[in-house]
Amino acid sequence: MTVGSADHRTIGEISPALLEDWLRERYFTLPVDISSSGVETYSLGHLRELLGIPQRALDEIAFRDSPSVGARELREVIARRFGGRPDSVMVTHGSTEALFLVLAAIVRPGDEIVVLHPVYHSLHSIAEVLGARLKVWRLDPADGFAPDLDRLRDLLTDRTRAVLVNFPHNPTGATLTPAGYAEFLDLIAARDCHLLWDGAFSELVYDGDPLPDPRAFLERAISVGTLSKAYGLPGLRVGWCLAPPDLLRAMVRVRDYVSISTSPLAEFLATAVLSNGDRIVAERLGQARRNREILRGWAARNREVIDLTVPPGGVCAFPAIRGVTDAHEICQALEALGVLVVPGLCFGHPDRMRVGFGGPTGVLSAGLATISQVIREEGR
């Protein structure tokens, strides 16, 4: 499917971010939050204890500007952890800024861009407002949202400028198998196009190892990452992009008009975190693994009203409510009881809701119990 370009719109007329609109106030007011796509957040005190950061080290940070592509030490740590060279790394304000800067640098009006559906809004709306013609790679709920490479193959042409993907996927947690990943890379390699790989959830997998960064295999691959999801540090607003140096230079030209640089305090903490990345991720991944089993049991006990493929990756699930065409009223009823989930309408599937299972176990159990209660009451 091809969606028409938006080449007569300004960047200020970008499509509303429905997910952010839903969360904007509720995220800060509802006590039982099972809406998130990230793990339980760390506090600064917990981080300092885990990583042995002395107070003096924080006190000595000078609040001068950082280099346009980020502090050298942090770029070296990112390169060691994810592969590549420091001169191929740019530090950004979360992966959201990385996605914006990449797309602003590569998308031209009329370009064919392959995007997923459903998908996080940054992975389609930015390219659309820049004038791209979107070709939609649909993940089918009948297949548990598993990516169908034959569908992708049918979308790729000699005019394809870029393929934008997010695996493990938000909101479903679907991902590629190792064999599927190899086939996927071969499909991209056969075309003279960019691959934009959103690896925000790449380290949140439960069966086997994370997929390797595509930059190891494709020269024109661009990958982005963040501390917001697997690392439990969304408020630190640190992300990164691994890309060819010439593309990073184009991204810097755009950044000069947007954010200039990142914070030296955030970069210091990010360097400490990524230098001990396995330790930081392991603690929260273990919790998410246990929570996924709670989610699995809940879905099994409620299978007559809940249709759920247990996600192989990430920390959010995308269940459908059987017999319901629009779950928005259920989400509102949950809100009235203090429980926050995300209506599936925010991802183009109104019969579903996004449920996050990466947070505190007690909060998850309470939220799931309330969902069951509300759905059964609504069905009376």
Side-chain angles (χ1 to χ4, degrees), residues 184-249:
F184 169 80
L185 293 177
D186 286 343
L187 288 175
I188 303 299
R191 302 289 179 180
D192 184 23
C193 68
H194 297 283
L195 167 62
L196 178 47
W197 178 267
D198 177 1
F201 307 95
S202 63
E203 296 182 77
L204 293 172
V205 294
Y206 304 100
D207 304 306
D209 296 325
L211 297 173
D213 191 282
R215 291 273 301 153
F217 310 100
L218 296 176
E219 182 179 353
R220 290 170 66 83
I222 305 151
S223 63
V224 302
T226 180
L227 294 184
S228 296
K229 305 304 180 182
Y231 294 86
L233 296 167
L236 201 57
R237 305 310 308 152
V238 171
W240 54 87
C241 175
L242 288 87
D246 60 338
L247 179 56
L248 294 186
R249 287 190 289 272

Side-chain angles (χ1 to χ4, degrees), residues 84-169:
R85 303 185 312 275
D87 65 355
S88 297
V89 178
M90 181 177 188
V91 182
T92 60
H93 292 268
S95 57
T96 301
E97 187 188 27
L99 292 169
F100 181 87
L101 295 176
V102 169
L103 292 169
I106 68 172
V107 174
R108 304 163 301 196
D111 279 345
E112 286 190 3
I113 306 290
V114 176
V115 299
L116 291 168
H117 179 82
V119 77
Y120 182 68
H121 50 266
S122 291
L123 287 165
H124 68 83
S125 294
I126 297 171
E128 180 188 38
V129 81
L130 291 172
R133 298 178 65 245
L134 303 187
K135 302 188 72 173
V136 181
W137 181 15
R138 296 196 176 277
L139 305 183
D140 191 340
D143 300 329
F145 293 101
D148 184 333
L149 294 175
D150 287 334
R151 291 180 182 172
L152 173 61
R153 184 179 287 104
D154 291 341
L155 296 173
L156 296 173
T157 74
D158 292 338
R159 297 181 300 279
T160 303
R161 174 71 169 167
V163 177
L164 282 52
V165 295
N166 159 227
F167 295 121
H169 176 251

